[in-house]
Amino acid sequence: MISEPEMVGEFGSAEAAEVMGDPDREPVGRRKPWLWAVGGAVAASVVWGVALVAYGIGDRAPDMHGYQLDQDPCTSLRLRSIGTAIAPREATGPSESQLSKHAALDQVRCFVPLRSPAEDERTGSGWSVEYTVGITVELHKKTDPGAEFEARQWVAGPGADPEARLETVPDLGDAAYLRTSDRGHAELWVREGGAVLSLSLSSITQYVDEDHGGGPDGGGGERGEEPDTPDLSPHHPALISDMRDLMSLLRQ
């Protein structure tokens, strides 16, 4: 686990001394207002320049490491490891992928359902556990996404589980984080140069009326007890393995 970085140092206040001279003359040592402005601008430029170097942003385009979106990974990625660990991807394919290209950013996002368990594989209680894999690829071609990537890991978005566990994954891109929630969601984020990639695994437990094919109110006998939310921790290696396949697929 990584502890949240602390800010070193603190903002202080400085008092400027003024050298007073003859009241009829311009005070000795007092700079003209425009000189103060120029000096402040220069100082701000220096600080900003240091920040650009520290965070790797600015006019310099990031190294893309050969990543390209010439093909849609939503249809090309086989998800072999997840398919072996849980279930193969649904034969009907993913939902419609959202692919867009721009001079500054190429990106694609989609969700791929895994094959539903056969009727004879269900618990007999009428409950079924379904799994979905999310794929996200962002290729930042103009500005380095490093600082934004780090911030994204520590700031949970709307609807996110505030108690989710965050851990680093070594030897995967320039930086990699795996976030796991007890609510049945795990998400692996990887950054390599200007490429930001994500694979997520989500589970949903739903009731299926085995006698009538309906939902919870469709009849068909007494409903069994709802099973616990699946523990996704055993599937972390499969997520990492398929992430490596995704990275290889997009590198030319």
Side-chain angles (χ1 to χ4, degrees):
M1 297 289 294
I2 299 180
S3 60
E4 188 166 358
E6 298 179 352
M7 180 173 290
V8 180
E10 61 182 9
F11 293 101
S13 61
E15 295 183 0
E18 216 175 56
V19 180
M20 302 300 295
D22 189 328
D24 296 331
R25 299 165 53 192
E26 182 177 335
V28 178
R30 176 183 295 175
R31 300 182 183 179
K32 297 181 183 296
W34 66 269
L35 289 178
W36 281 106
V38 171
V42 171
S45 298
V46 172
V47 173
W48 178 241
V50 172
L52 294 183
V53 174
Y55 288 100
I57 59 178
D59 295 334
R60 185 179 61 182
D63 186 351
M64 296 308 301
H65 295 282
Y67 284 97
Q68 296 183 30
L69 270 178
D70 291 338
Q71 55 181 320
D72 187 352
C74 295
T75 56
S76 303
L77 186 62
R78 295 179 58 188
L79 298 173
R80 292 177 294 186
S81 296
I82 292 178
T84 300
I86 304 177
R89 54 185 298 163
E90 179 59 53
T92 57
S95 59
E96 184 177 355
S97 59
Q98 303 171 4
L99 174 64
S100 63
K101 290 193 173 185
H102 187 271
L105 175 67
D106 292 347
Q107 59 183 342
V108 64
R109 180 177 291 106
C110 65
F111 295 95
V112 181
L114 301 185
R115 186 177 302 166
S116 300
E119 185 173 341
D120 56 1
E121 295 176 347
R122 295 172 182 159
T123 62
S125 63
W127 291 96
S128 175
V129 179
E130 309 286 341
Y131 292 89
T132 301
V133 175
I135 302 174
T136 301
V137 178
E138 301 173 353
L139 302 185
H140 301 256
K141 297 178 288 185
K142 296 296 184 181
T143 57
D144 194 300
E148 176 186 335
F149 177 81
E150 293 295 325
R152 177 185 288 174
Q153 309 312 313
W154 294 105
V155 180
D161 183 0
E163 298 181 357
R165 299 175 297 279
L166 182 67
E167 57 186 313
T168 59
V169 180
D171 305 320
L172 192 61
D174 296 330
Y177 293 92
L178 180 60
R179 184 186 301 274
T180 308
S181 169
D182 291 334
R183 300 177 182 176
H185 184 79
E187 192 165 17
L188 174 62
W189 283 91
V190 177
R191 181 185 67 83
E192 186 169 23
V196 176
L197 307 95
S198 169
L199 276 183
S200 66
L201 177 63
S202 301
S203 66
I204 180 172
T205 304
Q206 59 184 2
Y207 183 79
V208 179
D209 187 336
E210 297 176 341
D211 292 337
H212 297 85
D217 300 325
E222 183 179 355
R223 183 195 305 186
E225 183 180 356
E226 181 178 357
D228 295 334
T229 301
D231 179 14
L232 299 182
S233 299
H235 305 312
H236 288 175
L239 263 179
I240 295 172
S241 177
D242 284 336
M243 172 60 79
R244 295 188 188 278
D245 286 348
L246 175 62
M247 296 167 72
S248 297
L249 178 67
L250 298 177
R251 277 196 299 258
Q252 305 296 325

